[in-house]
Amino acid sequence: MTVNDSAVGEEDWRRATDLIRAAGTTALACHVSPDGDALGSMLGLGLALARAGKKVVASFGDRVFTVPRLLRFLPGQDLLVEPSAYPAEPDLMITFDASTMERLGLLAPHAGKARELVVIDHHVSNTRFGTVHLVDPSAASTTMVVERLIDRLGLRADRDVATCLYAGLVTDTGSFRHSITTPAAHAMAGRLLATGIHPEEIARELWDRSPFAYLRVLGTALGRATLEPDAAGGLGLVWTFVSRADRAAEGLPYDEVEGVIDVVRRVDEAEVAVVLKEDDEGGWNVSVRSKGAVDVARACAALGGGGHPRAAGFSSATSVADTMAALRPLLTDPPTSHWTSP
Ligand code: 5GP
Ligand code: MN
């Protein structure tokens, strides 16, 4: 091992590997509305275990159970079961990229009833809701913790496993652009690339393709973007929204609009960027990003959400105007923690 395991205690590593080796069926769950790190970490470990002859089921607790279109290229989808087919009281359950039990959605009660619950995560805000915790806030992605676990189990990361782990790594480092891009992140990328994965295909699936309708909806969202130079303690706020009516007009599914925030957050005049996205049921999911001077995880936590200091989110059942009115005054806290020094 060349990577630093110090954030996770030896006892936790030992208990996790003992439990996994002894388990009959291992039940895996990642957070709702999974992103590349959530699904990649879960399917990466799931595939490594399945290839070693272990029984595995994997799921996530969304009311409408569909894998986001841009993650359908990930190997291991045959391990997925609907939440209704998930073990009610698993002997061993493992969670991925979820900072709280609530983030498991419909599968939270299953976690509550699991005999042993191994929590694998990298959020500094993780509430340690399991019986064993592999939580490393200095890890760039949850897949980075999973890579160490696979190694400690004596299992091999083949090309399919590596594709899953790499998807999480590039998602959470923003293609090695965010401040969490450590030497360890690049070293892991090197190990994964050595298995023969195709980084250009993974990047294209994740970010560089969309239906034409996306351009139309993006145009609408950008056309109404608002810059508030005095907001965020005078550091500037830029924000916009994508309604379900915008999407319906072009026939664009909800899971296609995740990338809007990555355009909006580039604005020089704003420290904080916000995109509100309305789902098909009329609820709003809010993506919030900062450049480092404002702790958006704390702001989002105050509104029932969470995330990382520079990338966080929450859900809202009220109007765009009311949601922004609630968020705006919270965008003043400087970070108390840092991505790389928790
Ligand atoms: P995104 O804006 O890409 O959906 O989310 C950015 C970050 O915030 C991710 O780490 C994600 O897990 C976290 N996040 C987004 N929405 C929520 C939420 O409702 N609750 C919590 N706890 N975290 C969230
Ligand atoms: Mn993550």
Side-chain angles (χ1 to χ4, degrees):
M1 290 293 295
T2 52
V3 288
N4 173 17
D5 287 352
S6 57
V8 177
E10 269 313 310
E11 177 64 13
D12 280 307
W13 283 118
R14 199 185 54 71
R15 285 179 62 205
T17 51
D18 284 353
L19 286 169
I20 291 168
R21 287 197 183 104
T25 297
T26 304
L28 314 180
C30 66
H31 68 68
V32 291
S33 304
D35 57 13
D37 193 35
L39 203 61
S41 56
M42 177 169 76
L43 295 179
L45 182 63
L47 273 175
L49 293 176
R51 301 244 150 109
K54 304 291 292 182
K55 282 209 196 74
V56 175
V57 290
S59 190
F60 47 90
D62 283 271
R63 237 159 260 292
V64 181
F65 183 76
T66 47
V67 174
R69 195 269 301 156
L70 72 172
L71 297 178
R72 285 189 201 143
F73 75 98
L74 287 178
Q77 315 246 338
D78 51 320
L79 302 174
L80 293 172
V81 299
E82 299 245 355
S84 57
Y86 201 80
E89 297 181 16
D91 284 335
L92 174 60
M93 182 163 167
I94 307 181
T95 70
F96 299 83
D97 206 37
S99 53
T100 64
M101 205 182 277
E102 293 74 57
R103 288 285 284 159
L104 300 172
L106 294 179
L107 295 179
H110 304 249
K113 293 206 180 109
R115 186 170 314 205
E116 295 283 354
L117 183 64
V118 177
V119 170
I120 306 182
D121 189 25
H122 69 135
H123 288 88
V124 71
S125 59
N126 188 285
T127 56
R128 303 180 75 85
F129 55 92
T131 59
V132 179
H133 301 96
L134 309 181
V135 177
D136 181 359
S138 73
S141 61
T142 297
T143 62
M144 194 176 258
V145 186
V146 166
E147 190 206 26
R148 293 178 209 159
L149 178 59
I150 288 172
D151 191 62
R152 281 174 176 262
L153 285 165
L155 303 177
R156 207 173 60 83
D158 65 12
R159 193 155 68 171
D160 284 350
V161 172
T163 294
C164 291
L165 301 185
Y166 187 82
L169 183 64
V170 293
T171 295
D172 274 27
T173 60
S175 292
F176 308 103
R177 286 174 298 161
H178 299 159
S179 60
I180 192 67
T181 306
T182 54
H186 276 291
M188 174 173 165
R191 289 190 293 276
L192 299 176
L193 288 168
T195 67
I197 59 170
H198 295 288
E200 76 289 3
E201 285 171 18
I202 296 171
R204 168 174 280 273
E205 291 291 343
L206 288 173
W207 301 296
D208 293 338
R209 52 171 290 203
S210 41
F212 180 69
Y214 175 69
L215 294 192
R216 309 270 307 170
V217 171
L218 178 65
T220 302
L222 297 182
R224 63 162 81 101
T226 305
L227 179 66
E228 299 181 17
D230 297 332
L235 298 174
L237 164 69
V238 61
W239 66 276
T240 190
F241 65 90
V242 180
S243 69
R244 60 178 157 168
D246 296 333
R247 291 189 295 100
E250 303 294 340
L252 190 71
Y254 176 80
D255 62 8
E256 296 283 348
V257 297
E258 199 179 311
V260 176
I261 187 66
D262 288 320
V263 184
V264 174
R265 72 180 179 84
R266 63 182 291 117
V267 168
D268 284 334
E269 296 88 338
E271 159 69 20
V272 177
V274 178
V275 174
L276 303 91
K277 301 164 291 184
E278 189 179 15
D279 64 25
D280 291 337
E281 281 74 50
W284 291 87
N285 294 313
V286 187
S287 291
V288 188
R289 303 289 186 268
S290 95
K291 292 173 182 162
V294 171
D295 185 344
V296 294
R298 215 166 348 143
C300 291
L303 298 172
H308 303 284
R310 298 179 189 210
F314 64 98
S315 303
S316 173
T318 62
S319 69
V320 168
D322 287 352
T323 303
M324 288 306 298
L327 177 60
R328 216 176 262 110
L330 299 172
L331 298 174
T332 51
D333 284 342
T336 49
S337 60
H338 186 268
W339 282 101
T340 51
S341 52

